């Protein structure tokens, strides 16, 4: 058992590896810069959207919208026991003036800064997907029905546009159009990436990412999908809409989308 001395063992962090496209060799931030250039998205637009994400999260938190979605965790230390029941990443007090002073990270005169990218953070999510038979057998009460889903491919150098064909495909499978959708939720990997998708789909922002997103909450790789689905499913109990759509881009050149219906 073990490794022989001198064999050059290398330890790799899969999270950091996931931030560079394994096919195109392109950092995720550059894929967002590519979309900003293609869709003529400015630094000002990105800063303004990042502030929107932070402030809408703040309003949603104040109004208790996340209470059904968060499982409080007790942490015990020498200073006693602390209950963690609020995400730590959001900064709802931020302003466009503050963000405008930040330097671009990936490209000179670029649009991606630490504030206009999703936070690299830890997180976990859990959802239960059951068949109609299982619901009856176990006496479950569904909060939403999965109508359709779609996984689509795209150019990996602009992987952030993946939600567009995925949403279009999922809606087509469900026999629906964008006009039938009451809520859209697209993972905010980067402000430029989200805005490119919103432009391409011509989304109504009054019903899109209205309670913040990954720029405010953070983007724990592997957990954001369940967070988005849980949020949209719980929103049925708080709103009058009947159709919700969630989507995310995927490094490597993919997009994924789900269509949910009120149960």
């Amino acid at each position: 058992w073990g490794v022989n001395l001198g064999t050059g063992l290398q330890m790799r962090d899969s999270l950091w590896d996931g931030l560079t496209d394994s096919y195109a060799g392109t950092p995720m931030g550059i894929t967002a810069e590519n979309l900003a250039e293609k869709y003529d998205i400015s630094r000002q637009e990105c800063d303004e959207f990042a502030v929107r994400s932070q402030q809408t999260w703040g309003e949603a938190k104040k109004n208790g919208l996340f209470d059904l979605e968060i499982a409080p965790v007790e942490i015990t230390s020498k200073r006693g026991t602390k209950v963690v029941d609020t995400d730590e990443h959001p900064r709802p007090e931020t302003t466009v003036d503050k963000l405008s002073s930040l330097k671009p990270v990936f490209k000179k005169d670029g649009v991606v800064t630490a504030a206009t990218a999703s936070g690299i953070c830890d997180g976990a999510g859990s959802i239960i997907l059951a068949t109609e038979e299982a619901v009856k057998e176990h006496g479950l009460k569904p909060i939403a029905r999965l109508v359709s889903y779609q996984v689509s491919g795209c150019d990996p150098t602009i992987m952030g546009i993946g939600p567009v064909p995925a949403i279009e495909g999922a809606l087509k499978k469900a026999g629906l159009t964008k006009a039938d959708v009451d809520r859209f939720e697209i993972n905010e990997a980067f402000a430029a990436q989200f805005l490119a998708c919103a432009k391409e789909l011509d989304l109504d922002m009054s019903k899109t990412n209205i309670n913040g997103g990954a720029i405010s909450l953070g983007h724990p790789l592997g957990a954001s999908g369940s967070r988005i689905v849980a949020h949209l499913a719980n929103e049925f109990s708080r709103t009058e809409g009947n159709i919700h759509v969630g989507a995310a881009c995927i490094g490597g050149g993919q997009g994924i989308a789900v269509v949910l219906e009120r149960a």
Side-chain angles (χ1 to χ4, degrees), residues 21-35:
D21 186 277
S22 58
Y23 294 99
T26 307
M28 294 294 106
I30 291 296
T31 70
E33 293 285 3
N34 292 341
L35 285 172

Side-chain angles (χ1 to χ4, degrees), residues 38-202:
K38 180 175 181 177
Y39 287 89
D40 193 27
I41 296 167
S42 69
R43 166 69 185 270
Q44 178 77 11
E45 288 178 283
C46 291
D47 287 346
E48 289 174 353
F49 179 75
V51 170
R52 175 189 187 267
S53 181
Q54 298 286 358
Q55 292 181 346
T56 51
W57 175 88
E59 282 297 310
K61 173 60 183 175
K62 185 171 66 176
N63 294 325
L65 266 61
F66 300 112
D67 292 351
L68 292 174
E69 304 169 29
I70 293 181
V73 176
E74 287 190 358
I75 298 177
T76 302
S77 66
K78 294 179 180 179
R79 291 179 287 183
T81 300
K82 176 183 178 182
V83 176
V84 178
D85 59 4
T86 302
D87 287 294
E88 298 175 317
H89 189 267
R91 297 185 179 184
E93 73 286 350
T94 196
T95 65
V96 172
D97 285 342
K98 289 180 180 178
L99 300 197
S100 65
S101 66
L102 298 177
K103 294 182 179 180
V105 176
F106 297 95
K107 182 180 178 182
K108 184 180 179 181
D109 299 324
V111 301
V112 179
T113 68
T116 59
S118 55
I120 301 171
C121 63
D122 295 323
S126 178
I127 55 177
I128 297 176
L129 179 63
T131 63
E132 187 174 355
E133 292 76 14
V135 168
K136 293 177 180 178
E137 179 182 349
H138 298 284
L140 304 176
K141 184 180 179 181
I143 59 176
R145 184 176 81 89
L146 175 61
V147 180
S148 67
Y149 64 91
Q150 172 77 24
V151 179
S152 298
C154 65
D155 182 346
T157 63
I158 51 170
M159 65 89 203
I161 205 66
V164 171
I167 287 173
E168 292 173 337
L171 287 174
K172 184 177 181 180
K173 285 180 179 178
L176 300 169
T177 68
K178 288 182 292 182
D180 299 311
V181 180
D182 300 292
R183 283 286 303 281
F184 285 98
E185 196 82 19
I186 297 179
N187 193 46
E188 300 169 359
F190 301 90
Q193 165 267 328
F194 172 89
L195 291 170
C197 291
K199 277 191 174 184
E200 184 66 35
L201 291 167
D202 192 24

Side-chain angles (χ1 to χ4, degrees), residues 207-224:
K207 59 181 182 182
T208 304
N209 288 37
I210 61 175
N211 298 319
I215 287 176
S216 49
L217 283 159
H219 177 21
L221 298 183
S224 289

